[in-house]
Amino acid sequence: QVQLVESGGGLVQPGGSLRLSCAASGSIFNIYVMGWYRQAPGKQRELVATITSGVITEYADFVKGRFTISRNNAKNTVYLQMNSLKPEDTAVYYCHARERTRLDNRDYWGQGTQVTVSS
């Protein structure tokens, strides 16, 4: 099993910054991609960014260069640096990990951290 714990959310003014962290624990040896998703009340969960074990990154178009995903392998932690935040970025942000083995793929989710952008 893999456990994911997010932290770093909070209240920030428009144009401000936040840094989210996702700490992974458990059987993490076969995780090959991790990412961040977000979900606002009454809306569908959407992809924000992903990073592979080879540190290849992908971003949703709405990020438009404002967010950066990174990882620290020594700490088993993935980060999301969010700059120039907008009110529409308000959502619960979820950490995601995909485990790949010869026989199966398995997805894991954190419990989420609230990000609120408001003046």
Side-chain angles (χ1 to χ4, degrees), residues 13-102:
Q13 298 246 65
S17 298
L18 284 174
R19 181 179 172 89
L20 305 184
S21 299
C22 174
S25 61
S27 301
I28 62 174
F29 301 103
N30 296 120
I31 294 175
Y32 72 94
V33 63
M34 297 184 68
W36 290 92
Y37 293 70
R38 71 186 189 186
Q39 187 169 25
K43 296 184 179 179
Q44 192 175 19
R45 184 174 297 188
E46 60 186 355
L47 173 70
V48 176
T50 61
I51 185 167
T52 70
S53 58
V55 298
I56 298 173
T57 58
E58 294 185 357
Y59 297 92
D61 184 67
F62 60 77
V63 173
K64 298 182 178 179
R66 299 180 296 124
F67 295 180
T68 302
I69 188 170
S70 62
R71 65 189 300 163
N72 186 322
N73 291 331
K75 297 181 178 180
N76 299 319
T77 302
V78 174
Y79 305 95
L80 185 68
Q81 179 66 47
M82 305 186 294
N83 299 325
S84 301
L85 283 162
K86 305 174 181 179
E88 53 262 43
D89 294 319
T90 296
V92 177
Y93 284 71
Y94 295 91
C95 183
H96 166 261
R98 174 159 287 185
E99 180 185 46
R100 184 177 185 178
T101 68
R102 177 180 173 85

